[in-house]
Amino acid sequence: MRTLYHYPLSPSSRRVRVALAEKGLEFESVIEQPWRRRPEFLALNPAGEVPVLVEDDETVVVGAAITEYLEDVHPKPPLLPACAKSRAEVRRLIQWFEIKFDREVTENLVGEKVIKRVSALGQPSGLAIRAGLANIHYHLDYITWLAERRTWLGGENFSQADIAAGAQLSAVDYCGLVPWSEYPEAKDWYARIKSRPSFRSLLTDFIPGVPPPPHYADLDF
Amino acid sequence: MRTLYHYPLSPSSRRVRVALAEKGLEFESVIEQPWRRRPEFLALNPAGEVPVLVEDDETVVVGAAITEYLEDVHPKPPLLPACAKSRAEVRRLIQWFEIKFDREVTENLVGEKVIKRVSALGQPSGLAIRAGLANIHYHLDYITWLAERRTWLGGENFSQADIAAGAQLSAVDYCGLVPWSEYPEAKDWYARIKSRPSFRSLLTDFIPGVPPPPHYADLDF
């Protein structure tokens, strides 16, 4: 028995959903709105954040640690490279997207435009949204730089680096705020990610009251 | 050849220094002030953050990924438990301290009182300092709760969970802002950490213009 507590537009939740699908691991899905601070959920993760994976009703794994846990316990197919040096590079990129991109882009766009609305936690900040819209260009430049030099973002093989980047961008894309047409190399890389079977469930996500734009689920966007 | 780029009061840098010392791994120390954004340093880590570990002049490992890298390449003595479930719990606590404690306490106290002064990046915010002083009580309560139930914070054995917590608290303690006398169990746990040989180098840290209080380096504090 495997249960994932997650929220559809949380990029770190998306990352775990894709990783589980890549590894062919089925799970029961519990959609958790972390801002509700449900006592049963806080008992699982006192930090009150998604995602949380529970395996065999007893092993509780939270947040970024799920990446490492999955490689430890369900190593095939690998989503981290075999050699330590390459693994360090993939982990660097995971942090880049999950911490830096999230703080500079996703929180400012998805956080302000969708999460604040759904959670009724406050009014969107125009300042934050403008910052997010400016910052995404630097990150798309960086993805372009990587995509021009490597088959996948972390190196020769598809890895957690691609999943981490795809998870962030797909959440922003749900809001229709990724300027794909200005970044053809980044768009080509994302088209490859988006067409993987493991990504399919993300493309059917639907937040009541905040529908995605038509291109969101379109593989030929 | 092993080089660590770090900043003395950066808790994640401290965590790596302690881990390297626990594993008996010597390194050349380069003190990096990340806010200077030195081009040579940005070439190593485009995110511009410490710590960065370079091994054999070619393997570059940044931030929290250093924990996993060290266990991969220098597994003895282990600083993560052998069983996957226990490892998940230690990794949960690493994230708790390195992300949550850091954001709620350390950035508000060390960030405002020391880093802003040393970097001349702005005036300390009284509001942030008051938040940090309030938040530290919740975290010391949590450490007390863990210390009452476990030999070390992550379980039976000393681990990266203790190092992560000790790294944060020692940085705040450098500013003399940990109310140890109100939390005897947390203090006992910290006294055990502080007396480990691996912690010694942290206790000799000295930021020019911002000396630590006398009890900072005192094992009998």
Side-chain angles (χ1 to χ4, degrees), chain A residues 5 8 17 28 68 100 104 111 153 163 166 171 190:
Chain A
Y5 297 79
R17 288 162 68 196
E28 190 185 327
E68 301 295 338
K100 193 173 169 69
E104 294 174 355
L153 297 190
I163 301 177
Y190 187 66

Side-chain angles (χ1 to χ4, degrees), chain A residues 141-163:
Chain A
D141 275 337
Y142 190 47
I143 290 170
T144 300
W145 189 91
L146 292 168
E148 283 173 346
R149 284 159 180 80
R150 301 171 176 181
T151 311
W152 293 95
L153 297 190
E156 273 312 292
N157 298 309
F158 175 81
S159 75
Q160 283 278 6
D162 301 285
I163 301 177

Side-chain angles (χ1 to χ4, degrees), chain A residues 37 44-49 58-66 68-69 72-73 84-85 87-89 91-92 95-96 99-100 103 142, chain B residues 37 44-49 58-66 68-69 72-73 84-85 87-89 91-92 95-96 99-100 103 142:
Chain A
R37 301 186 64 75
L44 277 178
N45 181 14
E49 285 162 7
E58 59 152 39
T59 299
V60 178
V61 201
V62 309
I66 299 174
E68 301 295 338
Y69 174 81
D72 281 351
V73 176
K85 181 183 174 182
R87 204 149 55 232
E89 172 64 359
R91 288 186 180 125
R92 178 182 78 78
Q95 295 172 90
W96 178 280
I99 299 174
K100 193 173 169 69
R103 184 177 57 213
Y142 190 47
Chain B
R37 300 186 65 75
L44 277 178
N45 180 14
E49 286 162 10
E58 59 152 38
T59 301
V60 178
V61 200
V62 310
I66 299 174
E68 302 295 337
Y69 175 81
D72 281 352
V73 177
K85 181 184 174 184
R87 205 152 49 234
E89 172 64 359
R91 287 185 180 126
R92 179 183 74 80
Q95 294 173 92
W96 177 280
I99 299 174
K100 192 172 170 68
R103 184 177 57 212
Y142 189 47

Side-chain angles (χ1 to χ4, degrees), chain B residues 2 16 42-43 59 74 83 89 116 127 130 143 153 161 191:
Chain B
R2 180 180 299 117
V16 176
L42 290 174
T59 301
H74 308 287
C83 113
E89 172 64 359
K116 274 201 176 166
L127 197 66
R130 280 197 295 281
I143 290 172
L153 298 189

Side-chain angles (χ1 to χ4, degrees), chain B:
Chain B
M1 176 76 166
R2 180 180 299 117
T3 307
L4 180 67
Y5 296 79
H6 67 105
Y7 184 72
L9 284 191
S10 141
S12 42
S13 295
R14 296 187 149 221
R15 187 151 85 80
V16 176
R17 289 162 68 196
V18 173
L20 289 168
E22 288 282 340
K23 288 178 180 287
L25 301 170
E26 298 197 347
F27 60 95
E28 190 186 327
S29 161
V30 177
I31 292 187
E32 187 71 38
Q33 297 181 316
W35 56 86
R36 292 193 187 272
R37 300 186 65 75
R38 222 168 35 93
E40 298 83 355
F41 181 64
L42 290 174
L44 277 178
N45 180 14
E49 286 162 10
V50 286
V52 174
L53 181 70
V54 182
E55 282 212 331
D56 305 326
D57 295 331
E58 59 152 38
T59 301
V60 178
V61 200
V62 310
I66 299 174
T67 309
E68 302 295 337
Y69 175 81
L70 290 178
E71 292 305 300
D72 281 352
V73 177
H74 308 287
K76 293 200 174 159
L79 296 175
L80 293 178
C83 113
K85 181 184 174 184
S86 308
R87 205 152 49 234
E89 172 64 359
V90 168
R91 287 185 180 126
R92 179 183 74 80
L93 290 168
I94 294 171
Q95 294 173 92
W96 177 280
F97 290 106
E98 192 139 290
I99 299 174
K100 192 172 170 68
F101 186 107
D102 192 73
R103 184 177 57 212
E104 295 175 355
V105 178
T106 312
E107 282 191 12
N108 286 328
L109 299 178
V110 182
E112 294 295 325
K113 281 189 167 266
V114 180
I115 306 298
K116 274 201 176 166
R117 182 161 163 186
V118 175
S119 64
L121 282 178
Q123 289 299 312
S125 150
L127 197 66
I129 293 168
R130 280 197 295 281
L133 292 173
N135 291 339
I136 196 170
H137 290 279
Y138 299 102
H139 283 279
L140 287 165
D141 275 339
Y142 189 47
I143 290 172
T144 300
W145 190 91
L146 293 168
E148 283 174 346
R149 283 159 181 80
R150 301 171 175 183
T151 311
W152 292 96
L153 298 189
E156 273 310 292
N157 297 309
F158 175 81
S159 75
Q160 283 278 6
D162 301 285
I163 301 178
Q168 294 287 339
L169 278 162
S170 67
V172 179
D173 200 37
Y174 187 97
C175 307
L177 295 174
V178 183
W180 292 119
S181 62
E182 298 173 43
Y183 297 91
E185 290 88 353
K187 185 181 174 183
D188 282 353
W189 160 81
Y190 187 65
R192 281 189 285 145
I193 293 273
K194 200 172 174 178
S195 62
R196 290 177 84 88
S198 62
F199 229 66
R200 232 169 258 160
S201 91
L202 307 192
L203 304 181
T204 63
D205 279 348
F206 188 89
I207 309 287
V210 195
H215 81 265
Y216 171 70
D218 187 352
L219 296 185
D220 194 22
F221 58 111

Side-chain angles (χ1 to χ4, degrees), chain A residues 53-94:
Chain A
L53 180 71
V54 181
E55 280 213 332
D56 306 326
D57 294 330
E58 59 152 39
T59 299
V60 178
V61 201
V62 309
I66 299 174
T67 310
E68 301 295 338
Y69 174 81
L70 290 179
E71 292 306 299
D72 281 351
V73 176
H74 307 288
K76 294 201 174 158
L79 296 174
L80 293 178
C83 114
K85 181 183 174 182
S86 309
R87 204 149 55 232
E89 172 64 359
V90 168
R91 288 186 180 125
R92 178 182 78 78
L93 289 168
I94 294 171

